[in-house]
Amino acid sequence: MRRMWRRICILWMLAIVPTIVFAQTDLEKVVEYMKHGLVFNKLYPQEKVYLHFDNTGYFKGERIYFKAYSIRTDTGAPSDISRVLYVELLNPSGDVVQTNKVKMEKGVGYGDLPLDSVFGTGFYEVRAYTRYMRNWGNDVVFSRVFPVYRKPKVEGDYRNPQIDELSYIHRLPDGREQLDAGYTPTKKKTSKYSSTYKVGFYPEGGDLVEGISSRVAFRVLDDENRHAEVMGILTDPQGTEVCTVTTNADGIGVFELTPKSGVYSLVLTTDGGKRKEFKLPEAKSQGCVLTVNTLNDAITALVRASDAYQSELLGYTLINRGAVLSYDTLTAYKPIELEFDRSQLQPGVNQLTLFNSEGRILAERLFFVCPPKSDSDSVFVKTETSSLVPCGKVRVGLKTAPGASLSFSAMDAATLTDGKVGNALTWMLLSSDVKGYIHNPDYYFESDDKEHRQAADLLMMVQGWRRYDWGLYTGARQWKDIDGFPGKFQPIENQLYVHGQLKPDMNKWRKKHPVNGVDLRVFLFNTTGENATGEHYTGEAVTDSVGGYAFKLPDIEGEWEMQMQTKYNDKNAAYTVAVDRHFSPAPRYLSPYETEPTPLPEPFVKAKEEAEQADKDPTLQKRDGVYVIPTVKIKKRYFTNTSYSPWFDETTGARKSTVFYDVDEATDKIADLGEPMPTIYQWLKSKNSFFTGDDELNDMYQVISEDEDSEFVSTESSGKLEPVVGDVTTDYRSVIYKGGLRYKNRPILWIVNNQYVTITQYTANTFTVTWNGNDSGAERMPDFMDEVKSVYISEDDDAYTKFIRANELAAIHPITIYLYVHKRFYNNEKGIRRTHFQGYNKPTTFQMEDYSVMPPMEDFRRTIFWKPDIQTDANGNATVEFYNNSSCKHVYFSAEGFTQEGKPLVSE
C-alpha cells in the first residue's frame, strides 16, 4: 500500500513538474528523469527487424530467398516507421558484396540474394536494418551467417558439400571487428599447448564496490575464441587465495566477492601447466551494488549502497522493449529489496536501472523472462499428403492466428547442410537484445525451470547489452556517445530519396562558387541492362544555406543511371556533389561457433517405399536412385562471338583469384563523400593490410638487352636491369620497379586488361622473359582509382604463367594482381556528375515446374518450395500446394510469421 501511494505521488509530480518554476529538489530531479523515460520511447521508438529464409545453407549459383518483418518496439505492432529496408550480403572478409533495398509495407517485405556471382566459398553474413535503426549503433542490426559451398561438380550431387580451405599463408584479409576489448588476453602463447586465454569480467550491476558483497560473472575463451572449461583460483591484492572457481561448457563462471582496496586476480592453469594471471577491475570506494535473483517466481533485486549514497534519494526504472513498466524512488540507508511478480512482467529481456538525481547510472542489470508456452505463438503444420513421390503434388495446411502474415519453406532434408539457428521468437525476445552470438538460443525457451533460468541469468550477465540506453532517456548521454553511431542522426525513410550536400570543387585551378542557392537537377534513366524499361525521372532543387539538397523519388526498381547537374547564375558550375547514402555498419566479429555446421533438424514427411512407387507409376524409371522419365537433356549451348575481345573478360582474373574488389562502387562512395580521389595504389593499401611498401611507382628499372640488335618487343628477351634515367627507351613492358607495393611481403606482377605490364618490389638484377599469347604491350599502369573497374588478387604460383615466363619469377613466387580499367571515360564536363542509384529490389519469383501439365524430369531443387506472402483467413487457416523434386524422400518444413498485433509465430 505504501508503494502504491508513493507511485500516485510520483504520477502527480509528473503531471505538475512542467509548471514548477522554483529550484528543483532531488525528488523533482529524479521525477523529471522518470518523466523523460516515460515519453522517450514514444518520441524515438525503435524498430526490430527479422528475416526468415528459405534454407539453412547454400551452394554457389543458388539464390537466398527471404521475407523481412519489421516491428515497432513501443507498441509491438508491425512497423509503420520505415519503408526502406537494407539487406546486405557480406563475404567472409567482411566486405559488403550485395546490397538490396526492400520495400516494406505494413511491416513486411521480401526479396532475394543471388549467389551466382559471389567470389569464393565460406561463411557469408546476411544482415538487415533500416536507416533509422542505425542511430542506435551496430548491435541493433539483424544478422545471420550461412555456409556457402562450392557448386557440385555433378548436378544434384549434394552429398559432400565443400568449402575452400585456405592455408595460413593464403589467408584472406579480415576487415571484421576483432573480439570485444572487454576481454583480457594473456601475453604469450606456446605452440605445443592451448595456453592463450582471454577472460572477460562482469561484476553484477556494473561495478565492484569496496566492502559490499558482489557477484562477478566471467567468461573464458581459448586461443581460438572458443568457450574454455577451466578451473582456477581467485587471489586478493596480497596474492592470498580467496576461493576456487570453475567455468561451465559455455566458458562461464561466477563467484561472490566482498572486495577491499586493491586489485584482485583470477589465476588459471593452462594445458601446459603454466599459471596465467588476469586482473579484475578495481573496486570503487563508493557506489551501489544491485543483486538480482531470477530463480523464483518472485524476481527480487537487492540494492546496497556505500556510505556516500545512503542518504541520497535514488530512482529506479524497469524497462521492457523500451517502455517503462515500473518506476519508483528509494533511499538506500539500509539494504532495500525490490520485488517483481514474474507473471506480471513482459516476456523477453528486462532492464533494471538504478540512478541518482544527476541522472547518472549507479547500477544496471538485465534479466530474462521466458514466455509461457502457448498455442497462440505457434504455426501448426499439417501435411495432407501422406507420403512423397518424385515430382508429386504435396498439400500442406497451416493453422495459426487469424490474419497472420506468414512465410513458408519446404526443404529436401537430404540436401540440408546446416541446422536452424533460432527463429522469429528467439530473435525478437532474446537475441536482438543481447550482445554477440548466442550458441543455442532455442535452449532458453525450452523450459522455465530453475536450470534454464540460471543459464539465462548467466547469459544476461556476460552478454548483456543495453539496447535501450537510459543515458539517452535522461539526457545524460548524447547520440554521438553510442557505440557505432554513424556520425549524425539518420532520418526515417518513408520512401526513396536522393539527398546530400554540395561542396566547393576540389580542383584548385577552378573558380569557387557559393554552395547556397545553386540550381541542382537530377536525371535518372533506366535504359541499359537486362532489366531496362526505358523509363526516366527528372527532379529540380535549390540548395539551402549550407549546400544541402533533397529529392523525393517514385518507387523505382533496380539500378538506374543518375546524372546530377549544377548551375550557378544559370551557367554550369563545377561543384563536388556529395550524396548522403553511406551508413552501412562496420562488419561485426564472428564467433567460431557461427562458422561451423549445426545439427540438422528432423524431417516432417517421408517418402513411400521405392518399390511401391515404381508399381504405382510404371512410367518412372530408376536411374542413380532417382525415378525419372527418360528424356534427352540439352546441355548449355556455347556460342562464339567473333567480335568479342578477350581483354575485357574478367573471368580470366577471377578464375584463380581469392580476393575481388569492385572499384567502381568504391570510387562512387569516395565521390559521394566529397573526398579527393586517391591513386589505385593508395586505395589498395588502405583497403587491405596485406599491402605494404610504397603507394607510388618508384625506383624504376629497365631491362637492357645484352644483344644490341635485339628488341624487347620480340617473343623472348633478356637482359640486365639498369636504373631509368629520363624516358623509357624501349617497350614499356621492359620497365620493372624495385619499389612500389608488395603483398604479404611478396613482389606483385601486374596484369592490366589481361595483359602483362610490370612487376613491383622486384629484387633480382636480371630479367629473362618469354611472352605467352597475343600481348600487344599497349596497356599502361593506371594512376587514379577512378580509372579502374575491378581488382582481382591471385596467390596461385602459376597464375602469371598464362602471360609470361621468366626464370627469375619461379624463385620469388610473385602475387598476380589483375586490374581491369575503363576503356573509355565520360568527358569531365563542368557541372555534371554521373553515378548510379539503386532502387528497390525486384523480388524474383521462386521457380518450380508445374508437373500437372508436364511429365516428371530430373529436378534438383534443394528448396522444394518457398512462399513468402501467405495470409491466414478469418479462422487462422492457410493452405499451400507444391510439387516435389525428383529425388526428395524426406522433407523439412519451416513456417514463421507475425500476428496482426506483431506477435511472433513459429512452427515447431
Side-chain angles (χ1 to χ4, degrees), residues 91 95-99 117 119 559 582 650 659-670 677 680 683-684 687 785-793 818-820 822 836 838:
N91 65 16
D95 299 311
V96 177
V97 295
Q98 287 186 48
T99 301
S117 60
F119 202 74
E559 186 175 88
H582 298 284
E650 295 190 19
V659 177
F660 162 73
Y661 294 127
D662 185 339
V663 185
D664 271 342
E665 182 176 332
T667 299
D668 234 10
K669 180 177 180 179
I670 291 173
M677 192 62 59
I680 184 62
W683 180 79
L684 285 173
K687 177 70 175 177
M785 181 181 171
D786 55 0
E787 298 176 49
V788 181
K789 294 188 297 183
S790 54
V791 174
Y792 295 84
I793 302 174
Y818 302 81
L819 301 180
Y820 291 92
H822 293 280
H836 296 84
Q838 182 66 41

Short mmCIF file of all heavy atoms in Angstrom, two decimals, residues 91 95-99 117 119 559 582 650 659-670 677 680 683-684 687 785-793 818-820 822 836 838:
data_model
loop_
_atom_site.label_atom_id
_atom_site.label_comp_id
_atom_site.label_asym_id
_atom_site.label_seq_id
_atom_site.Cartn_x
_atom_site.Cartn_y
_atom_site.Cartn_z
N ASN A 91 30.85 -10.99 -47.42
CA ASN A 91 31.69 -12.17 -47.62
C ASN A 91 32.45 -12.49 -46.33
O ASN A 91 32.38 -11.74 -45.35
CB ASN A 91 32.62 -11.97 -48.81
CG ASN A 91 33.65 -10.87 -48.60
OD1 ASN A 91 33.89 -10.42 -47.48
ND2 ASN A 91 34.26 -10.43 -49.68
N ASP A 95 33.49 -7.79 -46.36
CA ASP A 95 33.16 -6.83 -47.41
C ASP A 95 31.69 -7.00 -47.80
O ASP A 95 31.20 -8.12 -47.97
CB ASP A 95 34.03 -7.06 -48.64
CG ASP A 95 35.50 -6.87 -48.34
OD1 ASP A 95 35.85 -5.85 -47.74
OD2 ASP A 95 36.31 -7.76 -48.71
N VAL A 96 30.99 -5.89 -47.99
CA VAL A 96 29.61 -5.92 -48.48
C VAL A 96 29.66 -6.19 -49.98
O VAL A 96 30.17 -5.37 -50.74
CB VAL A 96 28.87 -4.61 -48.19
CG1 VAL A 96 27.46 -4.65 -48.76
CG2 VAL A 96 28.83 -4.34 -46.68
N VAL A 97 29.15 -7.33 -50.41
CA VAL A 97 29.21 -7.71 -51.82
C VAL A 97 27.88 -7.51 -52.53
O VAL A 97 27.83 -7.49 -53.76
CB VAL A 97 29.70 -9.16 -51.99
CG1 VAL A 97 31.13 -9.28 -51.51
CG2 VAL A 97 28.82 -10.15 -51.25
N GLN A 98 26.79 -7.39 -51.78
CA GLN A 98 25.49 -7.08 -52.37
C GLN A 98 24.69 -6.25 -51.37
O GLN A 98 24.77 -6.48 -50.16
CB GLN A 98 24.69 -8.36 -52.69
CG GLN A 98 25.18 -9.16 -53.87
CD GLN A 98 24.23 -10.30 -54.20
OE1 GLN A 98 23.01 -10.12 -54.28
NE2 GLN A 98 24.79 -11.49 -54.38
N THR A 99 23.94 -5.30 -51.90
CA THR A 99 23.01 -4.52 -51.08
C THR A 99 21.68 -4.43 -51.80
O THR A 99 21.62 -4.03 -52.96
CB THR A 99 23.54 -3.09 -50.82
OG1 THR A 99 24.80 -3.16 -50.15
CG2 THR A 99 22.57 -2.31 -49.96
N SER A 117 27.25 -14.94 -58.52
CA SER A 117 28.43 -14.12 -58.79
C SER A 117 29.28 -13.88 -57.55
O SER A 117 30.20 -13.07 -57.59
CB SER A 117 28.00 -12.76 -59.38
OG SER A 117 27.17 -12.06 -58.48
N PHE A 119 32.16 -14.34 -54.86
CA PHE A 119 33.55 -14.69 -55.11
C PHE A 119 34.07 -15.54 -53.97
O PHE A 119 34.31 -15.05 -52.88
CB PHE A 119 34.38 -13.42 -55.26
CG PHE A 119 35.65 -13.63 -56.02
CD1 PHE A 119 35.64 -13.80 -57.39
CD2 PHE A 119 36.86 -13.68 -55.35
CE1 PHE A 119 36.81 -14.00 -58.08
CE2 PHE A 119 38.03 -13.88 -56.03
CZ PHE A 119 38.02 -14.04 -57.41
N GLU A 559 18.65 -0.92 -60.74
CA GLU A 559 19.70 0.10 -60.81
C GLU A 559 19.43 1.07 -61.94
O GLU A 559 19.15 0.67 -63.07
CB GLU A 559 21.06 -0.56 -61.00
CG GLU A 559 22.21 0.45 -60.92
CD GLU A 559 23.56 -0.20 -61.00
OE1 GLU A 559 24.06 -0.39 -62.13
OE2 GLU A 559 24.12 -0.54 -59.94
N HIS A 582 25.79 6.58 -47.40
CA HIS A 582 26.74 5.61 -46.87
C HIS A 582 26.66 5.59 -45.35
O HIS A 582 27.19 6.48 -44.67
CB HIS A 582 28.16 5.95 -47.35
CG HIS A 582 28.30 5.89 -48.84
ND1 HIS A 582 28.38 4.70 -49.52
CD2 HIS A 582 28.32 6.87 -49.77
CE1 HIS A 582 28.47 4.95 -50.82
NE2 HIS A 582 28.42 6.26 -50.99
N GLU A 650 36.70 -10.55 -67.57
CA GLU A 650 37.21 -10.61 -66.21
C GLU A 650 37.25 -12.03 -65.66
O GLU A 650 37.79 -12.25 -64.57
CB GLU A 650 36.37 -9.71 -65.28
CG GLU A 650 36.48 -8.24 -65.63
CD GLU A 650 35.85 -7.33 -64.58
OE1 GLU A 650 35.66 -7.80 -63.43
OE2 GLU A 650 35.56 -6.17 -64.89
N VAL A 659 40.59 -12.94 -53.93
CA VAL A 659 40.10 -11.65 -53.44
C VAL A 659 39.63 -10.82 -54.62
O VAL A 659 40.32 -10.77 -55.66
CB VAL A 659 41.19 -10.88 -52.66
CG1 VAL A 659 40.68 -9.51 -52.22
CG2 VAL A 659 41.66 -11.68 -51.45
N PHE A 660 38.47 -10.21 -54.48
CA PHE A 660 37.90 -9.36 -55.54
C PHE A 660 37.44 -8.05 -54.93
O PHE A 660 36.85 -8.02 -53.85
CB PHE A 660 36.71 -10.06 -56.21
CG PHE A 660 35.82 -9.12 -56.99
CD1 PHE A 660 36.24 -8.60 -58.20
CD2 PHE A 660 34.58 -8.74 -56.50
CE1 PHE A 660 35.44 -7.74 -58.91
CE2 PHE A 660 33.76 -7.87 -57.20
CZ PHE A 660 34.20 -7.37 -58.42
N TYR A 661 37.69 -6.94 -55.64
CA TYR A 661 37.21 -5.63 -55.22
C TYR A 661 36.49 -4.95 -56.38
O TYR A 661 37.02 -4.86 -57.48
CB TYR A 661 38.37 -4.73 -54.76
CG TYR A 661 39.06 -5.21 -53.51
CD1 TYR A 661 40.44 -5.37 -53.46
CD2 TYR A 661 38.33 -5.49 -52.35
CE1 TYR A 661 41.08 -5.82 -52.31
CE2 TYR A 661 38.95 -5.93 -51.20
CZ TYR A 661 40.33 -6.09 -51.19
OH TYR A 661 40.94 -6.54 -50.04
N ASP A 662 35.27 -4.49 -56.10
CA ASP A 662 34.50 -3.69 -57.05
C ASP A 662 34.95 -2.24 -56.87
O ASP A 662 34.45 -1.52 -56.01
CB ASP A 662 33.01 -3.85 -56.79
CG ASP A 662 32.15 -3.13 -57.82
OD1 ASP A 662 32.66 -2.21 -58.49
OD2 ASP A 662 30.97 -3.48 -57.95
N VAL A 663 35.90 -1.82 -57.69
CA VAL A 663 36.49 -0.50 -57.52
C VAL A 663 35.53 0.59 -57.97
O VAL A 663 35.52 1.69 -57.41
CB VAL A 663 37.83 -0.40 -58.28
CG1 VAL A 663 38.51 0.94 -58.02
CG2 VAL A 663 38.76 -1.53 -57.86
N ASP A 664 34.70 0.31 -58.96
CA ASP A 664 33.71 1.30 -59.39
C ASP A 664 32.81 1.71 -58.23
O ASP A 664 32.52 2.89 -58.02
CB ASP A 664 32.85 0.74 -60.53
CG ASP A 664 33.47 1.01 -61.90
OD1 ASP A 664 34.34 1.90 -61.99
OD2 ASP A 664 33.09 0.35 -62.86
N GLU A 665 32.35 0.73 -57.48
CA GLU A 665 31.47 1.03 -56.35
C GLU A 665 32.22 1.82 -55.28
O GLU A 665 31.68 2.77 -54.70
CB GLU A 665 30.93 -0.27 -55.75
CG GLU A 665 29.96 -0.05 -54.61
CD GLU A 665 29.35 -1.35 -54.11
OE1 GLU A 665 29.23 -2.31 -54.90
OE2 GLU A 665 29.00 -1.41 -52.91
N ALA A 666 33.47 1.44 -55.00
CA ALA A 666 34.26 2.16 -54.00
C ALA A 666 34.56 3.58 -54.46
O ALA A 666 34.60 4.52 -53.66
CB ALA A 666 35.55 1.40 -53.73
N THR A 667 34.77 3.75 -55.76
CA THR A 667 35.02 5.08 -56.31
C THR A 667 33.79 5.98 -56.12
O THR A 667 33.90 7.15 -55.75
CB THR A 667 35.37 4.98 -57.80
OG1 THR A 667 36.56 4.22 -57.94
CG2 THR A 667 35.57 6.35 -58.41
N ASP A 668 32.62 5.41 -56.37
CA ASP A 668 31.38 6.15 -56.19
C ASP A 668 31.22 6.61 -54.74
O ASP A 668 30.77 7.73 -54.47
CB ASP A 668 30.19 5.28 -56.59
CG ASP A 668 29.30 5.96 -57.61
OD1 ASP A 668 29.70 7.02 -58.14
OD2 ASP A 668 28.20 5.45 -57.88
N LYS A 669 31.61 5.76 -53.81
CA LYS A 669 31.49 6.11 -52.40
C LYS A 669 32.40 7.29 -52.06
O LYS A 669 31.99 8.22 -51.34
CB LYS A 669 31.85 4.91 -51.52
CG LYS A 669 31.75 5.20 -50.04
CD LYS A 669 32.04 3.97 -49.19
CE LYS A 669 31.93 4.30 -47.70
NZ LYS A 669 32.17 3.10 -46.86
N ILE A 670 33.62 7.28 -52.57
CA ILE A 670 34.55 8.38 -52.30
C ILE A 670 34.00 9.68 -52.88
O ILE A 670 34.07 10.74 -52.26
CB ILE A 670 35.93 8.05 -52.87
CG1 ILE A 670 36.57 6.92 -52.05
CG2 ILE A 670 36.85 9.28 -52.86
CD1 ILE A 670 37.86 6.39 -52.60
N MET A 677 40.10 12.01 -54.85
CA MET A 677 40.26 10.68 -55.42
C MET A 677 41.69 10.20 -55.23
O MET A 677 42.63 10.83 -55.69
CB MET A 677 39.90 10.69 -56.90
CG MET A 677 39.76 9.29 -57.51
SD MET A 677 38.43 8.33 -56.74
CE MET A 677 36.99 9.38 -57.05
N ILE A 680 45.12 4.35 -57.24
CA ILE A 680 44.69 2.98 -57.00
C ILE A 680 45.59 2.31 -55.98
O ILE A 680 45.15 1.47 -55.19
CB ILE A 680 44.64 2.18 -58.33
CG1 ILE A 680 44.10 0.76 -58.09
CG2 ILE A 680 46.01 2.15 -59.00
CD1 ILE A 680 42.70 0.71 -57.58
N TRP A 683 44.65 3.45 -52.44
CA TRP A 683 43.39 2.84 -52.01
C TRP A 683 43.61 1.37 -51.64
O TRP A 683 43.08 0.91 -50.61
CB TRP A 683 42.35 2.94 -53.12
CG TRP A 683 41.03 2.33 -52.72
CD1 TRP A 683 40.08 2.89 -51.91
CD2 TRP A 683 40.55 1.04 -53.08
NE1 TRP A 683 39.03 2.02 -51.75
CE2 TRP A 683 39.29 0.88 -52.46
CE3 TRP A 683 41.05 0.01 -53.87
CZ2 TRP A 683 38.53 -0.27 -52.61
CZ3 TRP A 683 40.30 -1.15 -54.02
CH2 TRP A 683 39.05 -1.28 -53.40
N LEU A 684 44.36 0.64 -52.44
CA LEU A 684 44.61 -0.77 -52.13
C LEU A 684 45.30 -0.91 -50.78
O LEU A 684 44.98 -1.79 -49.98
CB LEU A 684 45.46 -1.41 -53.22
CG LEU A 684 44.75 -1.72 -54.54
CD1 LEU A 684 45.75 -2.19 -55.59
CD2 LEU A 684 43.66 -2.77 -54.34
N LYS A 687 42.82 -0.33 -48.07
CA LYS A 687 41.75 -1.33 -48.06
C LYS A 687 42.20 -2.65 -47.47
O LYS A 687 41.45 -3.33 -46.76
CB LYS A 687 41.25 -1.55 -49.50
CG LYS A 687 40.19 -2.62 -49.67
CD LYS A 687 38.87 -2.19 -49.07
CE LYS A 687 37.78 -3.21 -49.33
NZ LYS A 687 36.50 -2.84 -48.69
N MET A 785 42.29 6.00 -58.91
CA MET A 785 41.37 4.92 -58.62
C MET A 785 40.19 4.87 -59.58
O MET A 785 39.71 3.79 -59.95
CB MET A 785 40.87 5.11 -57.18
CG MET A 785 39.92 4.07 -56.67
SD MET A 785 39.44 4.51 -54.99
CE MET A 785 38.13 3.31 -54.74
N ASP A 786 39.70 6.04 -60.02
CA ASP A 786 38.52 6.04 -60.89
C ASP A 786 38.81 5.56 -62.30
O ASP A 786 37.90 5.46 -63.11
CB ASP A 786 37.86 7.42 -60.92
CG ASP A 786 38.82 8.53 -61.31
OD1 ASP A 786 40.00 8.23 -61.57
OD2 ASP A 786 38.39 9.70 -61.35
N GLU A 787 40.07 5.25 -62.62
CA GLU A 787 40.39 4.64 -63.90
C GLU A 787 40.13 3.14 -63.90
O GLU A 787 40.07 2.50 -64.94
CB GLU A 787 41.86 4.89 -64.25
CG GLU A 787 42.24 6.36 -64.39
CD GLU A 787 43.73 6.51 -64.64
OE1 GLU A 787 44.26 5.81 -65.52
OE2 GLU A 787 44.37 7.30 -63.92
N VAL A 788 40.01 2.56 -62.70
CA VAL A 788 39.95 1.11 -62.56
C VAL A 788 38.52 0.66 -62.28
O VAL A 788 37.81 1.26 -61.47
CB VAL A 788 40.88 0.65 -61.41
CG1 VAL A 788 40.86 -0.87 -61.27
CG2 VAL A 788 42.30 1.15 -61.66
N LYS A 789 38.10 -0.42 -62.94
CA LYS A 789 36.79 -1.01 -62.70
C LYS A 789 36.81 -2.02 -61.56
O LYS A 789 35.95 -2.02 -60.69
CB LYS A 789 36.27 -1.72 -63.96
CG LYS A 789 35.98 -0.83 -65.14
CD LYS A 789 35.30 -1.61 -66.24
CE LYS A 789 36.19 -2.71 -66.79
NZ LYS A 789 35.56 -3.44 -67.91
N SER A 790 37.82 -2.92 -61.58
CA SER A 790 37.83 -4.02 -60.63
C SER A 790 39.25 -4.52 -60.43
O SER A 790 40.13 -4.30 -61.27
CB SER A 790 36.92 -5.16 -61.10
OG SER A 790 37.28 -5.55 -62.41
N VAL A 791 39.45 -5.20 -59.30
CA VAL A 791 40.75 -5.76 -58.94
C VAL A 791 40.56 -7.20 -58.50
O VAL A 791 39.64 -7.50 -57.72
CB VAL A 791 41.41 -4.95 -57.79
CG1 VAL A 791 42.69 -5.64 -57.32
CG2 VAL A 791 41.71 -3.54 -58.23
N TYR A 792 41.42 -8.09 -58.99
CA TYR A 792 41.43 -9.49 -58.55
C TYR A 792 42.85 -9.81 -58.06
O TYR A 792 43.83 -9.43 -58.70
CB TYR A 792 41.08 -10.44 -59.70
CG TYR A 792 39.68 -10.29 -60.22
CD1 TYR A 792 39.37 -9.31 -61.17
CD2 TYR A 792 38.66 -11.11 -59.78
CE1 TYR A 792 38.09 -9.17 -61.66
CE2 TYR A 792 37.36 -10.98 -60.26
CZ TYR A 792 37.09 -10.01 -61.20
OH TYR A 792 35.81 -9.87 -61.68
N ILE A 793 42.94 -10.51 -56.92
CA ILE A 793 44.23 -10.85 -56.34
C ILE A 793 44.36 -12.37 -56.32
O ILE A 793 43.52 -13.07 -55.73
CB ILE A 793 44.37 -10.29 -54.91
CG1 ILE A 793 44.20 -8.77 -54.93
CG2 ILE A 793 45.72 -10.67 -54.31
CD1 ILE A 793 44.19 -8.14 -53.55
N TYR A 818 45.27 -8.63 -61.03
CA TYR A 818 44.62 -8.26 -62.28
C TYR A 818 43.87 -6.95 -62.07
O TYR A 818 43.03 -6.83 -61.17
CB TYR A 818 43.61 -9.32 -62.71
CG TYR A 818 44.19 -10.71 -62.90
CD1 TYR A 818 44.41 -11.55 -61.81
CD2 TYR A 818 44.49 -11.19 -64.16
CE1 TYR A 818 44.93 -12.83 -61.97
CE2 TYR A 818 45.00 -12.48 -64.34
CZ TYR A 818 45.22 -13.28 -63.24
OH TYR A 818 45.73 -14.55 -63.40
N LEU A 819 44.19 -5.96 -62.90
CA LEU A 819 43.45 -4.70 -62.91
C LEU A 819 42.66 -4.62 -64.21
O LEU A 819 43.21 -4.83 -65.29
CB LEU A 819 44.41 -3.50 -62.84
CG LEU A 819 45.35 -3.40 -61.64
CD1 LEU A 819 46.22 -2.15 -61.76
CD2 LEU A 819 44.58 -3.39 -60.34
N TYR A 820 41.38 -4.34 -64.10
CA TYR A 820 40.55 -4.11 -65.29
C TYR A 820 40.16 -2.64 -65.29
O TYR A 820 39.52 -2.15 -64.35
CB TYR A 820 39.33 -5.03 -65.28
CG TYR A 820 39.74 -6.47 -65.47
CD1 TYR A 820 39.99 -7.30 -64.38
CD2 TYR A 820 39.93 -6.99 -66.75
CE1 TYR A 820 40.40 -8.61 -64.56
CE2 TYR A 820 40.34 -8.31 -66.93
CZ TYR A 820 40.57 -9.11 -65.83
OH TYR A 820 40.99 -10.42 -66.01
N HIS A 822 38.85 1.06 -67.29
CA HIS A 822 37.87 1.56 -68.25
C HIS A 822 38.54 1.87 -69.58
O HIS A 822 39.61 2.49 -69.62
CB HIS A 822 37.19 2.83 -67.71
CG HIS A 822 36.35 2.58 -66.51
ND1 HIS A 822 35.08 2.06 -66.57
CD2 HIS A 822 36.60 2.77 -65.18
CE1 HIS A 822 34.58 1.95 -65.36
NE2 HIS A 822 35.49 2.37 -64.49
N HIS A 836 25.18 6.26 -60.18
CA HIS A 836 24.06 5.33 -60.27
C HIS A 836 23.19 5.47 -59.02
O HIS A 836 23.63 5.95 -57.98
CB HIS A 836 24.55 3.88 -60.40
CG HIS A 836 25.30 3.61 -61.65
ND1 HIS A 836 26.65 3.87 -61.78
CD2 HIS A 836 24.90 3.11 -62.85
CE1 HIS A 836 27.05 3.54 -62.99
NE2 HIS A 836 26.00 3.07 -63.66
N GLN A 838 20.40 3.02 -56.77
CA GLN A 838 19.78 1.71 -56.59
C GLN A 838 18.37 1.87 -56.05
O GLN A 838 18.16 2.40 -54.97
CB GLN A 838 20.60 0.86 -55.62
CG GLN A 838 20.07 -0.55 -55.40
CD GLN A 838 20.16 -1.40 -56.66
OE1 GLN A 838 21.14 -1.34 -57.38
NE2 GLN A 838 19.11 -2.15 -56.93
#
